Amino acid sequence: MTTTIGLIRHGITEWNSLGKAQGISNIPLNEEGLAQAIATAKRVYSEQWDFIYSSDLIRALQTAEVISNALGINSVTTDYRLREIYCGQIEGTTEEERIMKWGTDWRLKSLGMEPFEEVAKRGIDFVREVSIKYPNKRILIISHGVLIGLTLQHLFPKIFNKTNIKNTSITIIKLNEREWECVLFNCTKHLE
């Protein structure tokens, strides 16, 4: 029994381009992000995928809808657990603005951010849930950089101690019986 899960980060947004922390702010794809979503859809078009899940935030949902239309999958199921990390007070700010406001050690301050462990737990719980619900199926999950990265770091601690998930990158993980395997990581060859 093998369940395959494709993890795709949403396309780029204006806030991504500006270097702003998005968190759960509902920022849509920009033109480049839409083009990235189309390129991703073209890449996965020839592959067999059974279901598509997405974060309920617009940038992920827009990416998921482009992909689902290409694959002929009639519906995208949204789940709030696939949302990006809540960024608290830093949401909507750039690194420069954060340093000006809270200093160079702003990461050490409690600024209302969701703890990394909670984000990882949301991601792992969701991945495990769909792998149990749909054994031997292929499931695409469209989500966000921090959620995907922390999920991978906790599922594969010996492989990933740090991640930097690129926009519309594809990561494929498989559950073989009870063991997880990462067969593709952060691949963006479809954007070249």
Side-chain angles (χ1 to χ4, degrees):
M1 179 175 78
T2 300
T3 303
T4 302
I5 295 177
L7 299 165
I8 299 176
R9 183 181 176 196
H10 63 81
I12 200 166
T13 70
E14 199 56 38
W15 278 22
N16 286 138
S17 298
L18 296 172
K20 290 185 176 187
Q22 289 182 111
I24 62 168
S25 295
N26 220 3
I27 310 302
L29 298 178
N30 62 16
E31 280 187 38
E32 181 183 358
L34 184 57
Q36 288 176 328
I38 291 167
T40 307
K42 287 178 182 174
R43 175 173 175 180
V44 300
Y45 175 75
S46 62
E47 302 169 6
Q48 173 60 45
W49 294 97
D50 300 301
F51 304 100
I52 299 179
Y53 281 87
S54 174
S55 157
D56 60 349
L57 297 176
I58 188 87
R59 58 193 182 268
L61 190 53
Q62 286 176 312
T63 305
E65 287 172 345
V66 168
I67 294 168
S68 73
N69 288 337
L71 292 174
I73 295 176
N74 294 330
S75 66
V76 173
T77 305
T78 59
D79 195 297
Y80 71 93
R81 293 174 292 174
L82 297 174
R83 282 183 166 201
E84 183 59 291
I85 186 172
Y86 173 60
C87 289
Q89 294 177 53
I90 74 161
E91 208 151 300
T93 65
T94 63
E95 177 74 12
E96 183 179 303
E97 291 167 335
R98 292 188 285 275
I99 290 171
M100 285 177 52
K101 192 167 188 174
W102 298 293
T104 55
D105 64 345
W106 67 266
R107 286 180 180 83
L108 304 175
K109 298 180 182 345
S110 176
L111 299 171
M113 287 187 70
E114 181 180 6
F116 285 173
E117 296 76 26
E118 288 181 21
V119 179
K121 183 178 181 338
R122 283 195 283 121
I124 289 169
D125 287 350
F126 188 83
V127 164
R128 286 183 177 149
E129 181 181 303
V130 295
S131 65
I132 291 167
K133 185 175 181 179
Y134 302 114
N136 293 316
K137 296 293 183 182
R138 294 173 53 87
I139 303 123
L140 283 177
I141 296 174
I142 316 315
S143 189
H144 306 271
V146 175
L147 182 125
I148 293 170
L150 290 172
T151 300
L152 292 171
Q153 288 174 35
H154 283 75
L155 272 179
F156 305 100
K158 293 179 180 172
I159 301 172
F160 303 113
N161 61 1
K162 192 173 185 182
T163 53
N164 181 19
I165 307 300
K166 298 173 188 165
N167 289 97
T168 65
S169 68
I170 300 174
T171 297
I172 297 179
I173 60 176
K174 291 186 176 189
L175 178 61
N176 299 305
E177 298 302 322
R178 291 191 180 113
E179 191 170 322
W180 287 99
E181 174 188 10
C182 184
V183 295
L184 183 69
F185 173 68
N186 209 20
C187 183
T188 56
K189 71 178 183 182
H190 51 284
L191 300 181
E192 296 170 358

